Amino acid sequence: MSGFISFINIITGIMFILAIRGLSSPQTARQGNLIGIFGMIIAIITTLFSQQVNDKVYPLIITLFGGGVGIYIALKTKMTSLPQTIAIFNGLGGLSAVFIALASIISGSTSYLDNSIGIIIGGIAFSGSMIAFAKLQGIISSQITKFNHQHLLNLILTFCILSLLFIFIISHNPIIFYILGISTIILGILLVLPIGGADMPVIISILNSYSGWAAVGIGFSLNNVLLIIVGSIVGASGSILSYIMVKSMNRSLLNVITGGLSDFDRLQSNEAETKIAKPANARDAAFIMENANKIIIVPGYGMAVAQAQYVLKEMAEILQNKYHVEVKYAIHPVAGRMPGHMNVLLAEANVPYEDVFTLDDINREFITTDVAYVIGANDITNPLAKTDISSPIYGMPVLDVEKSKTIFFVKRSLANGYSGIENPLFFAENTLMLYGDAKQITEQIVTNLEND
């Protein structure tokens, strides 16, 4: 029986690897997701019938209840709330690692190092994810939150955690283990609290990686091969994604994790206060667009809030088919609130994959573009990232929309971006502001394009 279960575990591990591979591309994402679902079903059934589980009924009831709650939340969650949903689910994964480690120690397990690794990483993943959820949900400010000697406090707390780890391994005192768990939860809060909105997609990816490595530690403690395999896949993929994202932002991973350890004091410029943004209407936008040769659409979180991706696709199709305009979509790596947020929304609206381009592939084309249609994006188009060393996003590659002949900004107001800084592009000579709901504005443009 144990040999058969080991074989099934290997098959399930391969399915999870194929699932991650499928999720790497919009074309295969749905297939990869289905493979992952079937793999998890097999993993749950295999675990329930393993020799480690004596009582089958109680775990089955809890599994069905948890699965039902998960399905309900998934069906009720809007696309705009998906990032914070991922954050809170990831936090629950870290919390489960904490509880398993505690139960293992209480039951007399001698895997002291494995359980300690599980509770340390799981505790940080749990509390950090809860802070990320609170920032994304607007419960607490999304801006950088700092206080005097913050990094020193984090360093001291990290040293205390390592000391407690060493003491627990030597003494096997469960009280030390409980203190260790509480300390890691506090450290997770302090680590994520100073993370600004611009770095939130990266930190979600990092916390996801933490949950994976916590599962690895618990897997060794329970001698569960499948948990080790799955945890390693999640941990490694999250780490790789985090590295790719910080590299695309021209940041260091240490800088993001520490909330900007080497950041300068951020100063807000008052230069824009003396400037006036030029408003426009849907009729103006439609007229300029239908006479353009090339248009690049830059989606952002505002598109997600308004659920404007469907009408945006309709606008692009009219421009392409009726007016023979070349239309492309420019996706910034950290647009939205989570990795791939804009890609998911556009795929949901069945936007052709060949029309969607990454920053590196399309940035050089803005200089030959007649119209840049920026729909709800802000920080990812802010030129201060290239010129102002005092800006929180300085050094982050941004989309060069300012090089376009005409820029239409669809926003409800001139409010700052998620990072809390103003975008001087609103007041540029070639920028026209379209104030209002992104979906309604785009619908008005579509109506004008159809009637012309």
Side-chain angles (χ1 to χ4, degrees), residues 22-30 33 77-83 86 241 299-300 303-304 307-310 312-313 329-333 335-353 356:
L23 293 173
S24 64
S25 171
Q27 293 95 324
T28 58
R30 184 169 298 178
N33 195 32
T77 299
K78 298 179 179 179
M79 286 298 296
T80 51
S81 302
L82 193 56
I86 291 174
L241 179 59
M303 183 189 76
Q307 286 289 283
Q309 61 268 31
Y310 298 98
L312 191 65
K313 182 201 176 187
Y329 297 81
I331 306 297
H332 192 281
R337 297 294 184 268
M338 68 177 185
H341 199 177
M342 296 301 105
N343 299 83
V344 171
L345 293 173
L346 295 180
E348 183 184 36
N350 293 318
V351 171
Y353 302 125
V356 181

Side-chain angles (χ1 to χ4, degrees), residues 84-95 123-137 139-140 185 188-189 192 207:
Q84 48 264 54
T85 304
I86 291 174
I88 199 167
F89 278 172
N90 185 65
L92 292 176
L95 184 61
I124 293 175
F126 165 67
S127 58
S129 295
M130 294 302 103
I131 296 298
F133 165 79
K135 283 177 173 280
L136 291 166
Q137 190 67 19
I139 298 174
I140 61 177
I185 290 175
I189 295 173
V192 180
L207 291 170

Side-chain angles (χ1 to χ4, degrees), residues 273-295:
E273 295 179 1
T274 61
K275 297 183 178 181
I276 299 175
K278 292 177 290 186
N281 55 46
R283 182 72 189 91
D284 300 329
F287 177 77
I288 293 175
M289 285 183 176
E290 66 190 38
N291 288 283
N293 292 316
K294 183 177 183 179
I295 296 174

Side-chain angles (χ1 to χ4, degrees), residues 316-377:
E317 287 180 339
I318 293 173
L319 288 167
Q320 290 169 328
N321 300 329
K322 183 177 180 179
Y323 298 100
H324 307 291
V325 180
E326 182 184 5
V327 180
K328 296 182 177 182
Y329 297 81
I331 306 297
H332 192 281
V334 293
R337 297 294 184 268
M338 68 177 185
H341 199 177
M342 296 301 105
N343 299 83
V344 171
L345 293 173
L346 295 180
E348 183 184 36
N350 293 318
V351 171
Y353 302 125
E354 59 270 18
D355 292 345
V356 181
F357 296 85
T358 63
L359 179 147
D360 292 334
D361 293 331
I362 204 169
N363 232 11
R364 64 180 67 88
E365 296 189 30
F366 280 103
I367 197 170
T368 60
T369 298
D370 297 301
V371 176
Y373 188 70
V374 185
I375 180 165

Side-chain angles (χ1 to χ4, degrees), residues 207-353:
L207 291 170
N208 184 58
S209 175
Y210 287 171
S211 294
W213 297 127
V216 172
I218 298 302
F220 278 111
S221 172
L222 299 177
N223 195 26
N224 189 313
V225 176
L226 186 57
L227 196 57
I228 296 172
I229 294 174
V230 175
S232 299
I233 293 172
V234 173
S237 59
S239 300
I240 293 171
L241 179 59
S242 302
Y243 172 76
I244 292 173
M245 293 183 71
V246 294
K247 185 178 180 181
S248 66
M249 294 170 64
N250 196 29
R251 301 281 299 279
S252 71
L253 194 58
L254 178 62
N255 184 270
V256 173
I257 293 175
T258 57
L261 181 61
S262 59
D263 284 351
F264 295 90
D265 291 333
R266 303 309 185 187
L267 303 173
Q268 288 295 329
S269 172
N270 295 323
E271 181 183 356
E273 295 179 1
T274 61
K275 297 183 178 181
I276 299 175
K278 292 177 290 186
N281 55 46
R283 182 72 189 91
D284 300 329
F287 177 77
I288 293 175
M289 285 183 176
E290 66 190 38
N291 288 283
N293 292 316
K294 183 177 183 179
I295 296 174
I296 296 180
I297 299 171
V298 180
Y301 187 64
M303 183 189 76
V305 173
Q307 286 289 283
Q309 61 268 31
Y310 298 98
V311 67
L312 191 65
K313 182 201 176 187
E314 184 181 358
M315 183 188 79
E317 287 180 339
I318 293 173
L319 288 167
Q320 290 169 328
N321 300 329
K322 183 177 180 179
Y323 298 100
H324 307 291
V325 180
E326 182 184 5
V327 180
K328 296 182 177 182
Y329 297 81
I331 306 297
H332 192 281
V334 293
R337 297 294 184 268
M338 68 177 185
H341 199 177
M342 296 301 105
N343 299 83
V344 171
L345 293 173
L346 295 180
E348 183 184 36
N350 293 318
V351 171
Y353 302 125

